[in-house]
Amino acid sequence: MSTITRRIFPAIAIAGTMMLVASGCVAGENATASDTSKDDAAATGEWSSDTLSIDFATYNPLSLVIRDQGILEEILGDDVDVEWVQSAGSNKANELLRSGSIDVGSTAGSAALLARANGSPIQVIDIFSQPEWSAIVVGPDSDITSVEDLAGKSVAATKGTDPYFFLLQSLEEAGLSVDDVEVQNLQHADGRAALDGGSVDAWAGLDPIMAAAEVESGDRLIYRNVDFNTYGFLNATEDFIENHADLAQAVVDAYEQAREWALENPDETAALLAEVAGIDIEVAKTVITERSNLDVSGIPGDDQVAVLEKIAPVLVDSGDVQGGKDSVDKALDSIVNATFAEKAVGGE
């Protein structure tokens, strides 16, 4: 895990200002959403904290844009130090949130639901994508051609993440259960390495690592289903939401600015992903243009809950939730906090 503290430089400040104008996010008469955050801070004399810890991840392209362009630093000015911490997967982001190592973290919706159902006091405050980032992957010479062929085989997957829940749903659809396979609980990059090294028969993959595996290793996606992928959730702890609402708003404002820029500059976004993830530019373009739907409302709500309701029974049956169905139902009822995104998107 790498930790980077970034401070704003004049050139970035200029770029951030230009993006504020380009975003068209109106918060009142001739004001941007980030202006509102600044005004709120000005009204109280200062921001609620002098530090903000937030994650970035290769599965969250908007986080890369915000970090690279210093958007948050521009909004917050010199009074708040922004600490960037890399998340290697949704499970790691949840660990960082639970431990208090970060204030805001990015996960798949399924992982956020699992964490809240197991007692982690997090809520989704923004949606960063509607991706197709998971699939079942095998090596180029594998005899496995369908999910049914996984019976009795070993499969690498990162528990507590979308690829893991993608695997569970895929097995269920094929008339199998997790007991019919041997799950090797490996972090995403290690799962690819295990597949390429021959120590597992298949891998529940995650982009951009999965896309790179296709090009670099000739690995094959034997099963895809966009409906088994959950949304990209930006989560914060309830303590942060309650006690640092001004900073939470600034983060969501930054995400909405980054979304506008990324949609207008897909090639530049792909180049940034390629740089951070260490992958070929063509692979990055595939991830951004074909498997990352960034053109989705940032406001969490019914659409996301509907997806989570579909996955809830799978999550309960997995045995990974303390308290079972009751805990999952309570988490579903309380996981969404749309206040900040509604303000950032609608200028309310």
Side-chain angles (χ1 to χ4, degrees):
M1 180 188 307
S2 60
T3 302
I4 302 173
T5 301
R6 297 170 61 91
R7 303 295 298 176
I8 187 70
F9 292 96
I12 297 176
I14 294 171
T17 303
M18 291 175 65
M19 284 170 47
L20 287 173
V21 175
S23 69
C25 251
V26 177
E29 193 74 26
N30 298 322
T32 64
S34 57
D35 288 333
T36 303
S37 295
K38 289 180 178 178
D39 291 343
D40 291 343
T44 60
E46 60 181 8
W47 295 96
S48 60
S49 174
D50 59 6
T51 61
L52 170 65
S53 295
I54 185 171
D55 81 340
F56 69 98
T58 56
Y59 55 85
N60 178 359
L62 297 187
S63 71
L64 306 184
V65 173
I66 295 169
R67 175 173 170 264
D68 180 70
Q69 299 191 2
I71 300 175
L72 256 178
E73 290 87 343
E74 164 63 15
I75 292 173
L76 298 172
D78 294 331
D79 295 330
V80 180
D81 284 328
V82 179
E83 181 185 42
W84 290 96
V85 180
Q86 185 166 13
S87 291
S90 294
N91 61 324
K92 296 301 182 182
N94 277 326
E95 290 174 10
L96 292 167
L97 283 164
R98 184 184 286 271
S99 68
S101 298
I102 58 174
D103 302 308
V104 183
S106 43
T107 74
S110 58
L113 179 63
L114 173 64
R116 185 166 180 87
N118 278 329
S120 182
I122 61 170
Q123 291 183 308
V124 52
I125 59 174
D126 194 64
I127 300 300
F128 61 81
S129 69
Q130 184 186 18
E132 185 193 2
W133 51 19
S134 304
I136 303 300
V137 189
V138 299
D141 301 321
S142 175
D143 294 331
I144 298 173
T145 60
S146 67
V147 176
E148 288 82 357
D149 293 339
L150 294 178
K153 304 296 186 181
S154 59
V155 185
T158 309
K159 287 189 175 182
T161 70
D162 237 24
Y164 176 67
F165 293 114
F166 185 94
L167 172 64
L168 297 188
Q169 292 176 92
S170 301
L171 291 171
E172 181 181 54
E173 184 182 63
L176 302 174
S177 76
V178 69
D179 295 330
D180 293 313
V181 300
E182 178 189 351
V183 176
Q184 296 289 331
N185 184 21
L186 300 171
Q187 202 61 47
H188 302 297
D190 296 330
R192 178 196 170 179
L195 178 65
D196 289 347
S199 57
V200 296
D201 300 302
W203 168 48
L206 177 74
D207 275 337
I209 303 169
M210 182 171 68
E214 288 182 273
V215 173
E216 297 168 359
S217 304
D219 293 340
R220 296 182 292 113
L221 311 187
I222 62 161
Y223 185 69
R224 298 170 65 176
N225 188 331
V226 66
D227 292 334
F228 286 177
N229 294 259
T230 59
Y231 286 79
F233 277 29
L234 187 70
N235 309 307
T237 63
E238 291 179 348
D239 177 75
F240 180 76
I241 291 170
E242 180 179 353
N243 295 307
H244 304 289
D246 56 341
L247 295 180
Q249 188 64 61
V251 170
V252 176
D253 290 346
Y255 263 83
E256 292 310 314
Q257 291 177 41
R259 190 192 314 278
E260 292 290 336
W261 186 89
L263 290 173
E264 294 174 2
N265 301 277
D267 289 344
E268 291 84 348
T269 303
L272 181 57
L273 174 60
E275 178 186 356
V276 177
I279 58 177
D280 183 81
I281 183 61
E282 294 304 319
V283 173
K285 286 182 179 179
T286 296
V287 173
I288 294 298
T289 61
E290 297 180 19
R291 298 182 187 170
S292 299
N293 178 17
L294 303 177
D295 191 12
V296 61
S297 173
I299 302 174
D302 292 343
D303 289 345
Q304 288 72 42
V305 172
V307 171
L308 294 182
E309 286 175 342
K310 291 180 182 178
I311 200 173
V314 177
L315 198 156
V316 172
D317 291 343
S318 72
D320 293 326
V321 179
Q322 302 170 9
K325 185 176 184 300
D326 287 344
S327 294
V328 173
D329 288 344
K330 289 178 181 178
L332 277 170
D333 289 340
S334 58
I335 196 169
V336 171
N337 188 323
T339 305
F340 305 103
E342 287 173 348
K343 187 173 183 179
V345 172
E348 299 176 0

